[in-house]
């Protein structure tokens, strides 16, 4: 088992990553709880929920809220519905919320926990590879009709308990999605980790030792950045590598066409190309492309309009005054934020789309 401590301004919490650790959840929590509210979804709960709660106090009161899987759960309606269930379960300020699932469950449960009686403890029990990212750093949110994650706050969990056994039932598409975020972290902050990933034949969710190591390395890169910049001023923006175009593609292709990570991988390809052109660095672009290909990342884009993508990139939360600020790499492990003017961006996106269509 690997353990990483994340220091947040108000508190710090431990992220435990290991195989089979769902059976000893209570040992990995900072204290014991009498009243526990578990939020999960129907793809996950039948496999893992009982294992996770079996190590809690024998007389603890456990209430389960099992919802339908999918992003639609991060809604205002579901938010209030869960709060209602929590009042019904008579949770007091000393109660605990357990978020068993991927990013959707983590974001939703965290936001609920952050506002129930002005905030009660919550613990993340990630079951996807992608959730290594969302479970560290304390961002919690639900969606608004205007956009994703627009209603939210910074509310760190009191612990993260990550049992990699749960990854065995994760669909391949989701494995790919999570690894895009891991290779992003490697590019931003760990060249050795990047070599390991690029030199490996295939993603392998069965190799638990490797999963533990990969997730821990990714979490360490992310932790270092969020500790230095908890509230997204400067450094935290680097985690956005690949996301400016990635988010635009996700939205423009229609949510669900690509997973988040698949869109981010495409966005990274674009950002790395732009970086090589701007800084003349060798970012192992050919190897990255071949890593994407052999792991079945989408290399062929549907017919998207370059200008519409650029407009979306200008609207990105991280852009200022319609100026697009993109994360680029001067070298592997050396990210910078650069302004990219409209025409340069438009031309680069047009030529990128052209090549991706021919691919
Ligand atoms: P993330 O945002 O972390 O990628 P989501 O919460 O969007 O994850 O979950 C992606 C999908 O995978 C959902 O349909 C969810 O129910 C399903 N899922 C999550 N974890 C597992 C797992 N360990 N086994 C099987 N399905 C899972
Ligand atoms: Zn992301």
């Amino acid at each position: 088992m690997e353990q990483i401590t994340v220091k947040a301004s108000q508190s710090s919490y431990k992220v435990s990553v290991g195989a089979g650790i769902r059976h000893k959840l209570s040992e990995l929590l900072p204290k014991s709880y009498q009243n526990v509210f578990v939020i999960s979804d129907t793809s996950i709960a039948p496999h893992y929920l009982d294992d996770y709660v079996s190590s809690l106090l024998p007389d603890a009161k456990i209430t389960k809220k099992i919802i339908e899987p999918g992003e639609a759960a991060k809604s205002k309606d579901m938010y209030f519905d869960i709060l209602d269930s929590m009042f019904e379960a008579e949770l007091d300020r000393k109660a605990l919320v357990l978020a068993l699932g991927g990013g959707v469950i983590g974001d939703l449960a965290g936001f609920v926990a952050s506002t129930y009686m002005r905030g009660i403890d919550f613990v993340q029990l990630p079951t996807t590879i992608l959730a290594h990212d969302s479970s560290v750093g304390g961002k919690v949110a639900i969606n608004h009709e205007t956009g994703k994650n627009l209603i939210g706050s910074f509310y760190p969990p009191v612990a993260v308990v990550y049992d990699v056994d749960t990854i065995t039932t994760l669909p391949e598409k989701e494995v790919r999605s999570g690894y895009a975020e891991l290779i992003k972290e490697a590019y931003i902050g760990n060249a050795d980790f990047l070599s390991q990933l690029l030199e490996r034949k295939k993603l392998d969710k069965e190799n638990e030792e490797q999963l533990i190591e990969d997730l821990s390395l990714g979490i360490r890169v992310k932790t270092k950045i969020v500790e230095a910049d908890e509230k997204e001023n400067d450094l935290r923006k680097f985690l956005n590598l690949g996301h400016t175009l990635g988010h635009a593609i996700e939205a423009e292709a229609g949510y669900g066409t690509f997973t988040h990570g698949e869109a981010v991988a495409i966005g990274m390809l674009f950002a790395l190309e732009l970086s090589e052109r701007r800084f003349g660095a060798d970012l192992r672009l050919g190897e990255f492309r071949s890593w994407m290909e052999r792991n079945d990342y989408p290399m062929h884009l549907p017919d998207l309009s370059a200008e519409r993508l650029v407009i979306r990139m200008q609207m990105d939360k991280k852009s200022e005054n319609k100026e697009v600020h993109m994360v680029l790499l001067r070298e592997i492990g050396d990210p910078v934020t650069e302004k990219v003017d409209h025409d340069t961006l438009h031309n680069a996106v047009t030529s990128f789309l052209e090549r991706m269509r021919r691919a």
Side-chain angles (χ1 to χ4, degrees):
M1 179 174 69
E2 292 276 333
Q3 287 196 310
I4 301 138
T5 301
V6 184
K7 291 191 208 76
S9 57
Q10 307 283 331
S11 59
S12 67
Y13 53 97
K14 224 176 249 161
V15 181
S16 307
V17 189
I21 59 176
R22 66 190 180 287
H23 298 288
K24 46 180 196 175
L25 171 62
S26 61
E27 291 166 42
L28 301 169
L29 299 182
K31 61 180 195 210
S32 49
Y33 295 88
Q34 283 294 343
N35 208 343
V36 179
F37 191 87
V38 195
I39 305 175
S40 188
D41 80 28
T42 52
S43 308
I44 300 157
H47 298 289
Y48 310 111
L49 195 148
D50 289 341
D51 288 347
Y52 263 114
V53 297
S54 63
S55 81
L56 299 174
L57 293 176
D59 60 341
K61 179 175 171 218
I62 301 191
T63 311
K64 301 170 188 175
K65 181 82 180 177
I66 315 298
I67 64 179
E68 290 299 317
E71 184 76 21
K74 284 171 65 176
S75 67
K76 288 180 276 183
D77 287 347
M78 183 61 80
Y79 167 67
F80 284 113
D81 180 55
I82 295 179
L83 286 177
D84 289 343
S85 305
M86 290 166 78
F87 285 110
E88 220 168 281
E90 297 179 336
L91 300 192
D92 59 14
R93 287 207 169 78
K94 294 202 178 100
L96 172 70
V97 170
L98 286 178
L100 173 63
V104 168
I105 295 289
D107 283 1
L108 172 67
F111 186 62
V112 166
S114 76
T115 49
Y116 183 80
M117 294 187 173
R118 295 206 180 84
I120 61 175
D121 286 358
F122 99 105
V123 166
Q124 297 248 26
L125 311 172
T127 63
T128 66
I129 295 175
L130 188 60
H132 84 275
D133 182 31
S134 51
S135 63
V136 173
K139 285 191 187 178
V140 295
I142 59 172
N143 300 331
H144 185 264
E145 293 74 23
T146 315
K148 281 177 137 200
N149 297 328
L150 293 180
I151 308 171
S153 60
F154 286 93
Y155 194 71
V158 298
V160 178
V161 178
Y162 211 143
D163 187 340
V164 295
D165 282 355
T166 64
I167 303 300
T168 51
T169 52
L170 188 67
E172 299 303 326
K173 209 175 156 70
E174 302 297 335
V175 172
R176 236 181 347 260
S177 183
Y179 262 97
E181 229 48 89
L182 283 170
I183 204 163
K184 176 202 77 178
E185 282 144 358
Y187 261 111
I188 296 171
N190 189 334
D192 290 340
F193 182 29
L194 179 66
S195 293
Q196 284 181 40
L197 289 173
L198 288 176
E199 285 155 22
R200 215 178 274 164
K201 278 204 195 79
K202 273 275 199 184
L203 299 181
D204 179 8
K205 67 171 182 177
E206 307 293 335
N207 185 339
E208 296 200 312
E209 280 311 307
Q210 191 168 284
L211 267 179
I212 294 172
E213 175 155 338
D214 291 350
L215 289 167
S216 312
L217 289 171
I219 289 169
R220 283 181 212 282
V221 171
K222 172 137 194 192
T223 300
K224 218 163 126 186
I225 292 177
V226 298
E227 279 181 355
D229 174 17
E230 199 176 356
K231 293 276 167 75
E232 185 123 19
N233 295 313
D234 201 20
L235 290 179
R236 197 159 175 157
K237 282 190 185 150
F238 295 150
L239 293 165
N240 222 36
L241 177 66
H243 281 62
T244 318
L245 181 63
H247 279 149
I249 287 178
E250 232 184 324
E252 203 55 34
Y255 285 107
T257 307
F258 300 119
T259 59
H260 174 68
E262 286 172 337
V264 167
I266 299 169
M268 278 181 61
L269 196 56
F270 177 70
L272 295 179
E273 279 186 18
L274 213 59
S275 305
E276 285 204 344
R277 227 171 298 141
R278 189 163 287 204
F279 303 113
D282 174 9
L283 302 175
R284 307 180 71 169
L285 195 55
E287 287 171 274
F288 177 66
R289 193 178 289 116
S290 120
W291 177 87
M292 281 180 69
E293 280 165 359
R294 68 179 184 274
N295 289 305
D296 305 318
Y297 284 84
M299 303 303 288
H300 180 88
L301 284 184
D303 221 350
L304 301 174
S305 141
E307 187 52 26
R308 286 176 61 98
L309 287 171
V310 171
I311 291 170
R312 287 207 187 259
M313 291 166 88
Q314 287 171 333
M315 291 185 323
D316 192 279
K317 275 205 297 279
K318 272 107 190 167
S319 295
E320 290 161 26
N321 310 321
K322 288 207 166 178
E323 255 178 355
V324 177
H325 292 234
M326 275 188 67
V327 181
L328 301 179
L329 293 179
R330 268 189 300 235
E331 294 281 354
I332 290 164
D334 184 13
V336 274
T337 359
E338 289 268 302
K339 271 184 228 159
V340 186
D341 66 71
H342 176 275
D343 292 356
T344 309
L345 193 62
H346 185 94
N347 292 338
V349 171
T350 305
S351 121
F352 183 75
L353 286 178
E354 184 89 347
R355 278 173 289 129
M356 293 297 275
R357 242 178 255 126
R358 271 191 268 121

